Amino acid sequence: MLNFQDKVVYQIYPRSFCDSNGDGIGDLNGITSKLDYLASLGVDYLWLTPFFRSPQRDNGYDVADYCSVDPVFGTMEDAERLLREADQRGIGLMLDMVFNHTSTQHVWFQRALAGDKTYQDYYLFRDGAPDAPPTNWQSKFGGSAWEYVPKLKKWYLHLFDVTQADLNWENPAVREELKQVIRFWQGKGVKGFRFDVVNLISKPETMTDDLQGDGRRMYTDGRHVHQFLQELTRDTGMDSMLTVGEMSSTTLEQCIRYSNPDRRELSMVFNFHHLKIDYKNGDKWAMQSPDIGQLRQLFDVWQTGMQQGNGWNAVFWCNHDQPRIVSRLGDDRQYWQESAKMLALCIHFMRGTPYIYQGEELGMTNAYFEDIGQYRDVESLNYHRILTAQGRTEQEVRTLLQARSRDNSRTPMQWDESPTAGFTDGTPWIPLPQYKPEANVQAQAQAPASILSFYKRLICLRKEYPLIARGDIRFLCPDAQDVIAYCRGLDGKKLFVYCNFSAREKRVPCPGNVHFLIGSYEQPPQMTADEIVLRPYEGCAMMV
Ligand code: GLC
Ligand code: CA
């Protein structure tokens, strides 16, 4: 089994990372040109979101050919060079396998549309009248999850965009095709995979209306999902690689099963419960201020639970679907540096493999777009329409999108202070954030107190102290408001972590015999024999 406890993964959204040819869109050669930067950061793996041939309706999550490179991102030779050059720097590449669905432009779907029964069975087609979808399930991007094809007099299922048709995993031929994709990229030297919404792949035999919700409880962590993952891993020898599954609306029990090494499914899992603490009644499009008590509780349950079940978490705040964490749980104006560092420390010292999303290491903020014309994401555009139709005011919709749009994380990576942030010589495909402090590589690379330098130290510490990579975890101070504190332990050594998620000073109990390891303020916090005084958004770690 691969050892991944002491590894750190860096996520790249190629479209927004670095543009090498001036067309305003990031590409593979752009990534290759920044490998020295990534090596200096100290990360072990790069997870690249999809760069395969795609109509780009969902920025590459609508794949038309899994074994190709979309011309927008470069050529197969560019991919091979990137793999080679990353390898020379000791960095492994992880690719994003979107196996729940394909683009409707994929040749399999095109053949299905042309009437080929073999390929119709690759997808989830159902008979039905044009005005009666087979079930009442909702697409995660809004609207019905079914689309009618008049020519075939059939509906097909799409849990996401109408151009993302769900694959029929119950069909063994589909599973064989997908194994071939894994083998193709293994042959190119890829070192790991991220599996997109992989806990949604197994649908019920008979699909029926969901009378309680949007349908998700009928297909999430479905009946054969574990069997399918075990088969995929076994038949491709994938258990010697780093694999991570994106788990949508899942449970702790399921995640233990997905990631317990004895079961040979995946190395680790993403879950999103901790990123819904500012959703009102679980609704992404209803605002509430973040509930830190709930966040603490969730981390406690998941971290302790995964430890007990010998599962393994991917730990993270940010990705290409989430708003920027410093704008969300930190204070991106008054305590920009302090809160960005506190948030980093909080995650990196937990039990699990940390994922850094491009620009997070610079404290990049939300976009704060003022105008709907600045948004690009299919989900944001859909919801702009849906919310407006519901009668929300323009101001309300603007505020919601500013807080929730996936475009918040998709603005160009900021390499320097120039008008296009060193991302492109042309016009960026999406505007830069409207509010931009010194969140760029040039300003931070040589500055010892910068957010970037802080991330580098966190990565080094993981390599230096086995306790951070492999220690056990226990949560502390359950009653301290707006504070998350925990203790890691290994072979008699202990690491205490304290994080203040507020702009108010906090006093919490702390053993007296500890010494300061690292913190979000330059100077260690004030301590008494049994108490620690945390400054606004202070995060710090102490050792015995
Ligand atoms: C995952 C991806 C997201 C994509 C969706 C459909 O949630 O992270 O970007 O839109 O799956 O593939
Ligand atoms: Ca380009």
Side-chain angles (χ1 to χ4, degrees):
M1 269 283 297
L2 181 77
N3 165 35
F4 43 77
Q5 277 89 343
D6 64 348
K7 302 292 187 272
V8 177
V9 182
Y10 186 91
Q11 184 193 348
I12 292 184
Y13 197 67
R15 174 172 285 273
S16 304
F17 192 65
C18 180
D19 172 24
S20 71
N21 63 354
D23 66 357
I25 301 175
D27 44 53
L28 297 182
N29 287 340
I31 301 173
T32 308
S33 75
K34 298 296 184 184
L35 282 172
D36 286 331
Y37 166 73
L38 296 162
S40 76
L41 191 54
V43 296
D44 304 283
Y45 290 90
L46 302 178
W47 151 27
L48 269 52
T49 63
F51 53 74
F52 318 110
R53 203 164 58 71
S54 157
Q56 306 288 332
R57 274 278 304 196
D58 188 19
N59 288 358
Y61 282 93
D62 46 333
V63 180
D65 178 358
Y66 294 99
C67 300
S68 68
V69 175
D70 194 288
V72 136
F73 297 118
T75 63
M76 191 55 83
E77 288 69 46
D78 297 338
E80 285 162 356
R81 185 167 52 250
L82 171 57
L83 275 154
R84 240 184 357 258
E85 297 231 357
D87 192 54
Q88 281 163 14
R89 290 166 178 81
I91 296 177
L93 249 58
M94 292 167 68
L95 300 194
D96 207 322
M97 297 288 111
V98 190
F99 284 175
N100 176 67
H101 44 265
T102 74
S103 163
T104 50
Q105 293 297 309
H106 196 291
V107 61
W108 303 334
F109 194 83
Q110 289 297 314
R111 287 180 187 153
L113 280 188
D116 188 326
K117 294 271 183 293
T118 305
Y119 287 98
Q120 282 174 8
D121 198 32
Y122 272 39
Y123 295 90
L124 295 155
F125 280 96
R126 291 292 178 270
D127 295 326
D131 52 354
T135 71
N136 65 350
W137 300 357
Q138 294 294 297
S139 150
K140 297 191 187 263
F141 291 163
S144 170
W146 294 95
E147 180 71 8
Y148 189 66
V149 185
K151 203 173 65 182
L152 301 175
K153 298 200 171 60
K154 287 179 197 295
W155 296 81
Y156 68 87
L157 181 70
H158 62 90
L159 295 182
F160 293 88
D161 188 57
V162 41
T163 64
Q164 292 166 304
D166 280 54
L167 282 166
N168 175 18
W169 273 70
E170 308 298 321
N171 179 351
V174 168
R175 305 204 295 277
E176 288 310 314
E177 297 267 17
L178 300 176
K179 287 173 205 167
Q180 278 308 111
V181 175
I182 298 283
R183 294 184 190 117
F184 175 85
W185 288 109
Q186 283 173 323
K188 297 266 177 215
V190 161
K191 296 289 192 298
F193 296 103
R194 179 254 189 197
F195 291 94
D196 192 59
V197 292
V198 76
N199 65 328
L200 310 184
I201 56 177
S202 178
K203 274 75 174 182
E205 193 172 347
T206 28
M207 297 190 252
T208 51
D209 280 350
D210 182 355
L211 303 177
Q212 288 164 37
D214 62 4
R216 70 182 65 195
R217 65 194 186 89
M218 334 245 349
Y219 54 75
T220 302
D221 302 313
R223 58 194 170 130
H224 294 139
V225 62
H226 293 284
Q227 180 192 320
F228 291 160
L229 283 172
Q230 284 171 350
E231 179 186 315
L232 191 68
T233 299
R234 183 193 65 218
D235 293 356
T236 59
M238 217 166 60
D239 50 355
S240 61
M241 309 175 84
L242 196 150
T243 56
V244 57
E246 185 198 27
M247 305 301 169
S248 168
S249 304
T250 188
T251 64
L252 172 61
E253 292 66 36
Q254 292 290 347
C255 284
I256 291 171
R257 300 179 69 188
Y258 290 122
S259 65
N260 181 312
D262 299 337
R263 297 179 52 87
R264 296 184 178 263
E265 296 185 24
L266 298 166
S267 315
M268 61 189 85
V269 286
F270 290 116
N271 82 76
F272 298 90
H273 296 283
H274 66 298
L275 295 174
K276 296 183 177 171
I277 55 154
D278 51 5
Y279 291 8
K280 193 171 175 181
N281 304 323
D283 179 0
K284 173 168 176 172
W285 302 99
M287 304 272 275
Q288 91 177 7
S289 51
D291 182 341
I292 304 302
Q294 193 195 357
L295 181 66
R296 200 212 82 92
Q297 174 71 18
L298 281 166
F299 278 142
D300 191 343
V301 167
W302 277 83
Q303 287 273 307
T304 327
M306 288 293 263
Q307 167 167 288
Q308 275 162 5
N310 198 22
W312 194 255
N313 279 307
V315 288
F316 72 106
W317 289 123
C318 300
N319 68 26
H320 62 292
D321 297 327
Q322 297 291 331
R324 293 286 184 177
I325 202 64
V326 69
S327 303
R328 190 171 181 185
L329 296 185
D331 175 340
D332 63 11
R333 314 274 153 141
Q334 204 184 340
Y335 297 105
W336 173 57
Q337 302 221 26
E338 292 82 356
S339 59
K341 292 178 187 173
M342 179 277 284
L343 289 161
L345 185 145
C346 181
I347 278 290
H348 278 247
F349 288 162
M350 279 190 199
R351 180 180 175 279
T353 299
Y355 283 64
I356 301 169
Y357 176 68
Q358 65 183 46
E360 177 187 340
E361 77 279 22
L362 308 170
M364 275 181 64
T365 64
N366 275 351
Y368 297 107
F369 290 154
E370 288 290 335
D371 187 326
I372 181 66
Q374 293 171 297
Y375 288 96
R376 301 287 180 267
D377 178 28
V378 51
E379 185 200 47
S380 300
L381 301 177
N382 283 353
Y383 271 94
H384 178 264
R385 216 179 339 98
I386 293 169
L387 296 165
T388 307
Q390 282 171 5
R392 312 278 193 103
T393 67
E394 212 181 300
Q395 175 61 39
E396 274 177 308
V397 177
R398 186 184 308 132
T399 310
L400 272 169
L401 284 176
Q402 282 186 351
R404 302 289 203 238
S405 172
R406 304 195 298 179
D407 282 334
N408 282 311
S409 56
R410 300 177 181 184
T411 60
M413 173 76 175
Q414 294 169 181
W415 299 100
D416 62 33
E417 264 148 22
S418 68
T420 55
F423 162 71
T424 179
D425 294 334
T427 309
W429 69 277
I430 186 172
L432 271 83
Q434 300 302 289
Y435 167 74
K436 172 164 84 87
E438 307 71 64
N440 70 73
V441 173
Q442 193 184 43
Q444 294 189 32
Q446 306 308 326
S450 68
I451 300 170
L452 176 55
S453 300
F454 191 82
Y455 270 85
K456 286 186 192 170
R457 277 197 62 209
L458 289 177
I459 297 168
C460 284
L461 287 170
R462 169 170 298 266
K463 315 279 176 199
E464 201 177 321
Y465 293 99
L467 152 76
I468 297 171
R470 302 202 319 272
D472 58 23
I473 189 160
R474 187 165 55 87
F475 279 74
L476 310 169
C477 317
D479 302 321
Q481 210 193 350
D482 292 337
V483 173
I484 293 181
Y486 55 86
C487 175
R488 304 288 309 277
L490 185 72
D491 303 332
K493 274 198 173 309
K494 277 186 165 38
L495 177 78
F496 291 89
V497 177
Y498 299 94
C499 296
N500 179 1
F501 282 72
S502 82
R504 280 178 306 276
E505 189 181 285
K506 297 283 170 182
R507 291 172 172 269
V508 287
C510 166
N513 58 337
V514 294
H515 68 265
F516 180 68
L517 181 68
I518 183 173
S520 66
Y521 284 72
E522 280 309 284
Q523 299 301 319
Q526 211 193 91
M527 294 183 64
T528 65
D530 56 2
E531 229 182 32
I532 181 168
V533 187
L534 299 169
R535 288 161 282 189
Y537 292 103
E538 177 157 24
C540 59
M542 316 290 210
M543 271 200 132
V544 268

